Amino acid sequence: MKGIKIVSTGRCLPERYISNDDFSKVLDTNDEWIRSRTGIKGRYKCQDETCLSMATTAAKKAIDKAGIDKNEIGVLLVATQTPDYIFPSTASLIQKNLGMDEEVMAFDISAACTGFLMALGTARGLLETSAKKYALVIGSEELSRILDYEDRSTCVLFGDGAGAVLIENSNKEFYQKAWSRGNVSALNCLGPGYDNIKLSMKGNEVFKFAVTALEQGIQEIMTQKKITMEDLDYCICHQANERIIRHVMKKYPGHEDKFYMNIEKYGNTSAASIPIVLDELNEMGKLREGMKILCVAFGAGLIWTGVYLEL
Ligand code: ACO
């Protein structure tokens, strides 16, 4: 099974930033509650931007940084739950926005907060038979469109944003495993045509699930690949709640610095959270050839997945 090389990355956040104190002016909440329960200090919220515009900008940044011919991209995937349109797909519109060749496999993937990792695995497979060299994998979310800003237990948790990763096939290791449970009640959002299309979540239930899902994802993949946390350079978790990640970290004492976190700045950006982390690490020069990375995510479904990759 071929692996992937991360060629470049990009991200896009909306202009408008909402701090916890901003929320406390309009809701019965406060900075102390939000920070201590979630680790979040603020999040971005779209005004003029949309899921599509952020995805396009993040994608353009990744292409420009790589300096490649955009017509060498054969696979263009967008993971999102908040597309501008149900159809056409966000990916298809990005192809047009960026003036790319029509010969590209462009489509969206719906897998909640695991969407980026599901798209990464899909792109890796599709690249093996593509006549072109690169795949562009994007996670973009305008969650503010489906948040109920009168529900303090959900609206403070999420943020808008996009991240993009340009990859090519390599002969390095890649391994992915995923699970699905078909649960609606813990976390859901109705589709078009219904009244009140808003995110609904039972926080406690999701918290308990998240901790076990991340632990299982990490452990099973390490067992399968016959590695330990010692062998990894990073263990990147979906940024949903700092407390969830710290809970998982406790299982691996001495390896805390491998669990990179940026949730305090962005909140939970769902499918965009892991590509935004990858872009930050890349920008700081912290993604180097030969590194071993494990990414794990969980989301509505309830679904969860882990990806092991050697850069
Ligand atoms: N400000 C102040 N008080 C609040 C707020 C708020 N923003 N939100 C809830 N409360 C109150 C509740 O009303 C409750 O009050 P009560 O005891 O008087 O009824 C109290 O705080 C405790 O509420 P809990 O829900 O028990 O708080 P908890 O410690 O579980 O934290 C939280 C809630 C942060 C949502 C936590 O359960 C959590 O993080 N769950 C996981 C969420 C998650 O990961 N979601 C993403 C899933 S996948 C995806 O990314 C889409």
Side-chain angles (χ1 to χ4, degrees):
M1 196 182 195
K2 280 192 174 173
I4 57 166
K5 176 181 172 187
I6 295 180
V7 179
S8 72
T9 58
R11 69 177 181 274
C12 174
L13 282 314
E15 289 278 318
R16 185 172 172 206
Y17 195 70
I18 300 186
S19 68
N20 293 343
D21 287 334
D22 292 332
F23 265 123
S24 64
K25 289 173 196 148
V26 291
L27 268 180
D28 181 14
T29 189
N30 57 73
D31 177 57
E32 202 283 326
W33 192 97
I34 301 171
R35 264 193 304 117
S36 63
R37 303 284 174 130
T38 69
I40 299 166
K41 292 184 181 165
R43 72 291 289 148
Y44 292 88
K45 182 170 187 271
C46 289
Q47 263 182 313
D48 301 329
E49 308 86 351
T50 69
C51 174
L52 173 62
S53 76
M54 292 188 294
T56 304
T57 303
K60 187 168 182 334
K61 283 184 185 171
I63 293 170
D64 290 350
K65 263 191 243 170
I68 60 148
D69 174 0
K70 57 181 183 277
N71 295 324
E72 272 300 298
I73 296 170
V75 179
L76 200 179
L77 303 186
V78 179
T80 185
Q81 298 152 102
T82 49
D84 291 33
Y85 301 92
I86 295 300
F87 52 83
S89 72
T90 315
S92 165
L93 297 172
I94 291 173
Q95 172 269 327
K96 173 85 170 171
N97 282 354
L98 295 180
M100 288 166 65
D101 198 291
E102 288 182 1
E103 194 189 318
V104 58
M105 204 179 270
F107 59 95
D108 291 359
I109 284 188
S110 166
C113 303
T114 71
F116 174 78
L117 293 183
M118 298 296 197
L120 195 66
T122 306
R124 186 211 62 80
L126 291 173
L127 259 188
E128 282 199 35
T129 52
S130 173
K132 298 190 178 187
K133 191 172 176 187
Y134 302 104
L136 190 54
V137 187
I138 304 161
S140 185
E141 298 287 11
E142 191 185 346
L143 292 162
S144 55
R145 273 197 290 116
I146 57 163
L147 291 177
D148 175 355
Y149 281 93
E150 290 177 3
D151 176 7
R152 65 179 181 171
S153 66
T154 54
C155 70
V156 301
L157 305 176
F158 298 91
D160 297 335
V165 177
L166 185 74
I167 61 167
E168 63 178 296
N169 270 152
S170 76
N171 289 320
K172 301 279 176 61
E173 285 270 337
F174 183 98
Y175 179 77
Q176 181 162 25
K177 193 162 176 175
W179 297 262
S180 169
R181 194 176 281 175
N183 170 302
V184 174
S185 65
L187 180 56
N188 69 68
C189 181
L190 286 165
Y194 289 94
D195 293 335
N196 194 29
I197 301 169
K198 297 290 178 204
L199 181 149
S200 151
M201 181 175 74
K202 292 180 182 146
N204 280 325
E205 219 174 287
V206 176
F207 193 99
K208 283 182 214 141
F209 154 72
V211 169
T212 54
L214 291 182
E215 285 175 0
Q216 183 186 18
I218 293 169
Q219 212 43 57
E220 287 214 16
I221 285 181
M222 290 201 307
T223 304
Q224 188 71 33
K225 295 315 296 176
K226 299 187 174 58
I227 54 168
T228 66
M229 195 53 75
E230 202 74 43
D231 300 304
L232 292 173
D233 293 287
Y234 284 109
C235 181
I236 299 170
C237 299
H238 167 48
Q239 307 286 302
N241 183 323
E242 187 181 309
R243 268 167 63 218
I244 293 173
I245 300 175
R246 291 206 179 279
H247 218 283
V248 175
M249 266 161 65
K250 278 196 201 135
K251 297 240 155 183
Y252 306 98
H255 297 287
E256 291 78 4
D257 55 335
K258 294 178 180 175
F259 289 79
Y260 183 83
M261 280 192 272
N262 63 12
I263 187 166
E264 67 170 50
K265 290 185 279 184
Y266 305 116
N268 178 350
T269 58
S270 191
S273 95
I274 289 181
I276 291 175
V277 166
L278 291 173
D279 186 50
E280 286 195 348
L281 288 172
N282 200 22
E283 199 171 65
M284 292 185 282
K286 290 187 171 177
L287 294 185
R288 291 184 295 278
E289 206 177 328
M291 279 186 154
K292 296 181 169 91
I293 295 181
L294 183 51
C295 298
V296 272
F298 62 91
L302 299 162
I303 53 178
W304 62 113
T305 186
V307 168
Y308 169 70
L309 61 139
E310 268 180 39
L311 299 185

